[in-house]
Amino acid sequence: MFRLRCVNSCLRRLLHGGTVNRDQVLDQLQVCLAEDHVFDVVGKNKAKLTVNHVSCAVGMLWQFQRDKPQLLRTVDLIKSHPQFLTLRVLAENKIALMDDSMLVDILYSFLRLNVDPHDSLVQQLVSEAWLRIDRFPMASLSKFAICLSDQHLQQSPLMGRITSIVDQRLSSMDDARVLTTLMISTSSLVSPRLRDAFINRADLLLDTMDPSQYNNPRRVVQFLRNIKYSHRPLLEKCNQILLCNIPRLDAENISIIMGLYQSLQFNNCDFRLAVKQRLIELIDSSTDPFSFTKLFVALAPMANQEIREGLENTAFLLADELSAHQALAIAEALEEIQSRNLSLLNKIASVIQRNLHVYKPVEVARITQALYLFQYQNPELFTKLRNILVNFLQHSVFPYEVTMLTRVLSMLPHPRLDEAVTSRVEAVVTQCNLNDLNTISFAIAKWVRNDPSYRHNTPSKYVRLLQTLNRCGHERLQTADRLDLVLEELRYVSGEWFEEMLLEETMVMLQRMMDQINWTNVPELSLFLTRMNHLCPPLMDRIASVAIKDIDKIHYSATYATLLPFSVLNYDPEQADELYDACIQRFTPHISSFDPHLLVLLAYSLAVADCFPEELVREIFSIDFLGKLDAQLETLPDALNMRTRLRLMELNRAVCLECPEFQVPWFHERYCQQLQKKGNGVVSSVQQQIHKMLGEVLGGINCVRAAVFTPYFYTVDFECILDTHLQPLPYSTPSTLQISDRGKVHWGTSSTENIMDELPPGAQRVAVDFLDSKCFCKNSHHMKGEALMRKRHLEILGYRVVQIPHYEWNSMELSTQDAWKEYLKKKIFRELSS
């Protein structure tokens, strides 16, 4: 009995001691269900609160907010609560007692609760973290990097130190979430070497992580967007993981991913089709302004007319509840889809107008651009926008911001330009890259044309600004020493100013850096040469040799960009056969992995070069592929959709004419008829002149026909028939070429009379084509690939083709009527008889 009483006594002491040692305040905090409960515990236990209590309380306050939808968060109420100030003061006083992880966690939570980065608490937490940074575990280092990004310190010395630490420890990093967060945070500071190391490590960790963690591949894509580096293999791996997670994605995540893809110019048919279906499923549940805006922006450009109308109706009902930034997003989406819903646009514009004071400079520029491109009629609003833009421009010091504000200001009708605007542009133009300089040149050109005094002479303010632009452009090209950076600046450059002032020097610069051309920048350089329409044999020979040598390193989809200048500009390097063979062997095993529209563009560019790989042609003209292409075209922007359809028709025509052995049917008759009806039928003054003179040369206007449609819908500028003695034959009635049921080309008329199944024996049908400047490379009289392909096809159709280059017709030698007639006689009779 005594022993039993003793045991009971010990148990009571142990139990009592356990209760005494338990942290009752911590227990109370951990069972709180809302912010008010946390503040109650804090208020009742101010004197007892330890550093652990403060950390727990702040962490729970953020946790409660994070779990709520965006619209239901109450951060402002939390910040104004008296006990929140208590937590801030206690945290600042107990920084020295915090361990490393706690220090970073508390900093993270306070920033998420919108404590100002300049607050003394945040400043001291950051300072203490800097002292300890070398010993932080990688998870804490990752979180601290996020905190610095929140404070816009991505390029600070402290972030530089983090980048150095990450570089040293990268090989031991095995958490994809930690790695991808650090990749984004340090993206503005990574070297090419560290960039490649990040990509290799991310590629490895994406294979080993839980595939349902879709934020990891999303962050990898964001990193690639930040560094403007489209690494196709890694992008495709991320895309595959994201595809598997489509059922889990909400409209916000889909909108973010699609925006990242667009920035990287990464199109994936499977992803677009999958997210389109997912977004349609989310329509009924996206009823609040936040989620609906994300849904509208992502889905409207891909949706059919019925779904678009439903989205616009919902947008109209929600318009008054939209925030300033939601209204901006809807306005830009409406402009993108070219909506005609004026009542919705008026509502969105009214929301924008009452929120003009909250927009940042670039946002006001985006608003102005969207409304202007929409041709929105509201002079009062545009006057306000212009005044705001001018005010922002006068105070801006960021080159990209000044460039965008200048470009958008130039859109607006205004006869005179403020001196303050030109002064601000001139002040920052020396810091602008080539793309910014080119954009500013567009704006100046518009202002010059719109200035009333331009009719007498170009005002000196414009001359001075243009001279500064020219000087800055030349200096930038002369001092450039890294090809990759220059190509990045040149990616979107186009227009008269660049071509007239800088293109030749750009070519000199590119040849100066020719030894930097490698497999990574070959596609980008090739696209630039194609876009500039500039034939530069040394550069293209170098591209060819690099592509042949390193074809296995070039992504299969990049073979399209690599080959483009050779086919478009009609240039055959010494290794032409080897180049085409290498590229064809590279992409052929991956044909089924291509985006449908890209495969069509690739096949067309090869067709221009008279190259028809059988496996590629059979893939494109298979029922399955054409069905997939149709589905994809519904999701593409209108311009790309129309271009792809046109290229498919032209490819169909080329295969039918040049490769009849493939037995591909001609199925674009109706499409071509629709194009024919939409054509404007405008005849230039030069064509009218040639038509008249051909009538005189051939012995009568009835011996020549203009704008003749051939089989497969080529349009021949002028057509005539010469007999066996090269004598012109008159046309009795307006007639057309037709294709018989057996595919035989024969001559017919629109009436049932005088049908001529064949030409007279020995006669030949002649096509006379005027070749304008678009048919030639900009820097030479070298004919481009499409003009040559057209000539091949017309010859297959039975024509003898006479081409009249614009530079010959408009030359000084042909300045009289007799000279032009003699030129035509020589072209038609002497060339054809030889």
Side-chain angles (χ1 to χ4, degrees):
M1 179 64 77
F2 173 76
R3 268 186 280 176
L4 184 59
R5 215 179 293 127
C6 184
V7 168
N8 286 338
S9 175
C10 289
L11 283 172
R12 278 197 301 273
R13 280 200 307 274
L14 286 170
L15 290 172
H16 178 69
T19 304
V20 169
N21 290 332
R22 286 184 66 85
D23 189 332
Q24 295 181 350
V25 175
L26 196 60
D27 288 346
Q28 292 175 45
L29 284 171
Q30 289 173 342
V31 297
C32 289
L33 300 176
E35 293 87 346
D36 288 344
H37 299 163
V38 173
F39 286 135
D40 285 345
V41 175
V42 170
K44 292 174 182 176
N45 297 278
K46 288 182 185 178
K48 303 178 186 176
L49 294 179
T50 66
V51 68
N52 289 330
H53 301 146
V54 174
S55 175
C56 179
V58 176
M60 293 192 71
L61 289 174
W62 165 237
Q63 185 69 41
F64 290 139
Q65 289 298 301
R66 189 180 69 177
D67 292 343
K68 294 177 182 177
Q70 191 79 27
L71 286 173
L72 299 179
R73 291 182 180 177
T74 54
V75 171
D76 289 341
L77 290 176
I78 290 175
K79 283 179 62 180
S80 61
H81 198 286
Q83 302 310 330
F84 188 70
L85 178 60
T86 301
L87 289 172
R88 287 171 58 183
V89 171
L90 286 171
E92 191 167 348
N93 292 335
K94 297 177 184 293
I95 287 176
L97 301 176
M98 299 175 187
D99 63 33
D100 297 340
S101 297
M102 183 185 294
L103 177 77
V104 175
D105 288 345
I106 286 180
L107 172 61
Y108 180 86
S109 297
F110 273 124
L111 287 172
R112 284 293 182 270
L113 293 169
N114 289 350
V115 174
D116 192 280
H118 297 100
D119 189 275
S120 62
L121 166 62
V122 173
Q123 295 286 306
Q124 289 198 48
L125 286 168
V126 170
S127 298
E128 182 66 24
W130 195 337
L131 296 174
R132 308 184 191 182
I133 194 168
D134 289 322
R135 70 186 195 213
F136 277 175
M138 294 310 295
S140 295
L141 192 69
S142 169
K143 209 168 198 178
F144 184 48
I146 295 173
C147 295
L148 295 181
S149 297
D150 288 346
Q151 300 171 73
H152 307 292
L153 296 173
Q154 293 93 331
Q155 296 182 317
S156 65
L158 186 47
M159 190 67 87
R161 180 62 194 147
I162 291 176
T163 306
S164 177
I165 293 170
V166 171
D167 191 10
Q168 296 166 18
R169 302 187 196 171
L170 186 58
S171 59
S172 62
M173 213 175 295
D174 55 6
D175 187 323
R177 182 175 182 277
V178 170
L179 171 68
T180 54
T181 302
L182 284 166
M183 287 169 68
I184 292 175
S185 300
T186 62
S187 57
S188 60
L189 299 176
V190 296
S191 64
R193 182 190 58 78
L194 181 55
R195 173 201 69 195
D196 293 341
F198 270 147
I199 287 171
N200 291 334
R201 194 66 188 169
D203 188 51
L204 178 67
L205 294 187
L206 287 177
D207 287 332
T208 59
M209 70 166 205
D210 178 358
S212 66
Q213 300 298 314
Y214 59 81
N215 277 325
N216 293 329
R218 180 187 60 77
R219 281 190 289 265
V220 171
V221 177
Q222 187 175 340
F223 167 75
L224 293 174
R225 191 280 311 269
N226 288 358
I227 63 172
K228 300 177 182 176
Y229 187 61
S230 184
H231 190 279
R232 295 285 305 203
L234 188 56
L235 271 173
E236 287 173 355
K237 179 173 285 191
C238 292
N239 185 68
Q240 285 304 313
I241 299 171
L242 292 169
L243 261 175
C244 296
N245 284 281
I246 293 290
R248 300 185 187 89
L249 297 181
D250 57 15
E252 180 182 10
N253 272 296
I254 290 173
S255 183
I256 290 170
I257 295 165
M258 292 183 72
L260 295 173
Y261 280 1
Q262 185 175 355
S263 297
L264 288 164
Q265 295 182 309
F266 177 72
N267 270 313
N268 182 267
C269 175
D270 293 334
F271 181 81
R272 290 182 70 87
L273 292 174
V275 298
K276 179 182 177 181
Q277 185 57 43
R278 173 61 178 157
L279 289 167
I280 291 171
E281 294 170 2
L282 290 170
I283 288 176
D284 291 339
S285 59
S286 300
T287 53
D288 63 273
F290 179 82
S291 61
F292 176 77
T293 300
K294 299 294 183 183
L295 177 82
F296 189 95
V297 170
L299 180 57
M302 297 191 291
N304 60 33
Q305 191 59 37
E306 182 183 354
I307 292 175
R308 279 186 185 177
E309 288 175 2
L311 291 172
E312 289 178 355
N313 291 337
T314 305
F316 184 83
L317 296 174
L318 287 174
D320 292 328
E321 302 175 40
L322 296 177
S323 70
H325 295 97
Q326 288 162 357
L328 166 57
I330 296 286
E332 288 184 312
L334 288 172
E335 189 278 317
E336 183 180 352
I337 64 176
Q338 288 296 292
S339 170
R340 294 289 176 265
N341 193 328
L342 190 58
S343 57
L344 172 58
L345 184 60
N346 283 330
K347 270 214 165 191
I348 296 298
S350 67
V351 176
I352 287 172
Q353 192 161 358
R354 66 172 177 259
N355 285 290
L356 284 176
H357 62 285
V358 306
Y359 290 114
K360 296 176 182 176
V362 171
E363 291 167 343
V364 176
R366 287 165 53 196
I367 289 166
T368 308
Q369 177 173 288
L371 294 178
Y372 176 81
L373 294 176
F374 220 117
Q375 299 181 324
Y376 183 62
Q377 302 299 313
N378 189 330
E380 180 188 351
L381 176 55
F382 277 115
T383 300
K384 284 184 181 178
L385 288 170
R386 188 185 189 284
N387 293 335
I388 294 170
L389 289 169
V390 170
N391 183 57
F392 277 141
L393 183 56
Q394 289 173 344
H395 298 93
S396 179
V397 295
F398 301 109
Y400 79 92
E401 196 172 270
V402 169
T403 300
M404 187 172 190
L405 293 170
T406 302
R407 178 177 62 79
V408 173
L409 262 176
S410 71
M411 292 179 172
L412 303 179
H414 200 274
R416 292 197 175 275
L417 182 65
D418 308 68
E419 192 66 39
V421 172
T422 54
S423 298
R424 173 51 54 188
V425 172
E426 199 164 11
V428 302
V429 79
T430 55
Q431 305 170 52
C432 290
N433 63 32
L434 293 169
N435 190 44
D436 291 341
L437 293 175
N438 189 63
T439 301
I440 292 171
S441 76
F442 278 114
I444 297 172
K446 286 185 180 179
W447 284 326
V448 169
R449 287 194 299 268
N450 293 333
D451 196 312
S453 59
Y454 172 57
R455 283 168 289 186
H456 308 291
N457 65 318
T458 304
S460 60
K461 60 185 175 184
Y462 300 124
V463 174
R464 188 177 67 248
L465 200 48
L466 283 169
Q467 288 172 340
T468 305
L469 275 181
N470 296 343
R471 189 188 74 251
C472 292
H474 286 296
E475 288 175 357
R476 198 160 186 89
L477 289 171
Q478 290 163 3
T479 57
D481 58 2
R482 284 185 58 187
L483 179 59
D484 290 343
L485 295 181
V486 173
L487 288 175
E488 186 179 315
E489 292 187 25
L490 294 173
R491 183 169 295 167
Y492 304 109
V493 164
S494 64
E496 291 180 9
W497 174 78
F498 179 81
E499 291 173 9
E500 292 175 7
M501 299 296 170
L502 298 182
L503 183 54
E504 288 299 331
E505 190 161 343
T506 300
M507 290 301 164
V508 172
M509 177 271 301
L510 291 173
Q511 291 177 73
R512 171 167 56 84
M513 290 193 279
M514 205 147 59
D515 59 337
Q516 295 184 41
I517 297 176
N518 55 49
W519 66 271
T520 62
N521 54 37
V522 152
E524 193 70 42
L525 177 58
S526 297
L527 286 173
F528 172 74
L529 294 176
T530 307
R531 194 173 70 254
M532 288 297 108
N533 192 15
H534 192 101
L535 182 65
C536 183
L539 284 174
M540 295 180 70
D541 288 341
R542 170 69 177 169
I543 288 172
S545 63
V546 169
I548 292 168
K549 176 176 174 287
D550 291 323
I551 192 64
D552 291 337
K553 297 177 183 176
I554 296 174
H555 193 265
Y556 62 84
S557 66
T559 53
Y560 166 63
T562 303
L563 288 174
L564 203 54
F566 298 95
S567 63
V568 171
L569 303 181
N570 179 34
Y571 179 72
D572 284 340
E574 289 185 6
Q575 301 169 287
D577 291 341
E578 195 176 345
L579 172 65
Y580 280 93
D581 288 346
C583 288
I584 291 169
Q585 289 175 20
R586 177 72 180 101
F587 70 67
T588 299
H590 304 281
I591 282 178
S592 60
S593 301
F594 268 83
D595 248 29
H597 84 283
L598 185 61
L599 200 63
V600 170
L601 299 180
L602 169 63
Y604 172 75
S605 71
L606 288 170
V608 170
D610 197 11
C611 183
F612 297 88
E614 183 172 354
E615 192 169 341
L616 176 61
V617 172
R618 295 204 182 281
E619 171 69 20
I620 288 177
F621 293 104
S622 66
I623 298 299
D624 289 344
F625 177 87
L626 293 173
K628 189 175 181 182
L629 177 65
D630 272 341
Q632 187 201 19
L633 289 176
E634 292 178 3
T635 72
L636 294 180
D638 289 344
L640 184 54
N641 183 322
M642 293 168 61
R643 179 175 170 231
T644 305
R645 291 182 187 277
L646 181 63
R647 292 296 185 241
L648 180 65
M649 180 278 287
E650 292 169 325
L651 176 63
N652 186 198
R653 176 169 62 195
V655 171
C656 288
L657 287 170
E658 302 198 59
C659 303
E661 68 274 14
F662 290 162
Q663 297 183 333
V664 172
W666 168 245
F667 56 91
H668 277 90
E669 189 83 11
R670 187 178 299 175
Y671 172 80
C672 289
Q673 289 170 350
Q674 291 170 349
L675 287 183
Q676 182 181 340
K677 289 177 182 177
K678 291 179 183 177
N680 53 26
V682 175
V683 180
S684 70
S685 58
V686 173
Q687 288 172 312
Q688 292 176 24
Q689 181 190 26
I690 294 174
H691 190 198
K692 180 182 176 183
M693 289 188 178
L694 278 172
E696 296 178 19
V697 167
L698 295 171
I701 202 69
N702 63 331
C703 291
V704 59
R705 295 193 310 167
V708 178
F709 283 99
T710 76
Y712 303 103
F713 286 85
Y714 272 117
T715 305
V716 173
D717 290 344
F718 309 101
E719 181 191 277
C720 63
I721 299 174
L722 302 181
D723 66 15
T724 187
H725 302 296
L726 297 184
Q727 293 301 308
L729 297 178
Y731 293 102
S732 57
T733 57
S735 47
T736 58
L737 281 171
Q738 299 174 352
I739 307 176
S740 69
D741 295 338
R742 298 184 300 278
K744 180 182 176 182
V745 177
H746 65 269
W747 180 258
T749 67
S750 55
S751 67
T752 58
E753 300 178 11
N754 301 320
I755 295 177
M756 299 171 62
D757 290 331
E758 296 179 359
L759 292 175
Q764 55 187 317
R765 192 169 289 116
V766 180
V768 181
D769 268 346
F770 176 73
L771 304 183
D772 62 16
S773 59
K774 294 177 183 177
C775 297
F776 300 91
C777 298
K778 280 252 174 72
N779 59 320
S780 70
H781 294 157
H782 186 79
M783 195 183 300
K784 291 168 65 177
E786 288 183 343
L788 277 181
M789 180 174 73
R790 172 186 170 89
K791 185 173 186 288
R792 289 200 313 267
H793 291 175
L794 290 178
E795 289 172 345
I796 291 171
L797 289 168
Y799 280 101
R800 294 293 299 269
V801 181
V802 172
Q803 295 178 319
I804 303 177
H806 71 97
Y807 56 84
E808 291 182 0
W809 186 259
N810 297 323
S811 65
M812 293 294 289
E813 296 175 13
L814 305 183
S815 55
T816 66
Q817 296 287 321
D818 291 340
W820 274 313
K821 290 177 187 177
E822 188 59 35
Y823 173 83
L824 289 175
K825 286 179 183 177
K826 178 182 175 183
K827 278 282 186 181
I828 293 173
F829 299 115
R830 292 188 197 170
E831 287 190 9
L832 293 180
S833 63
S834 60

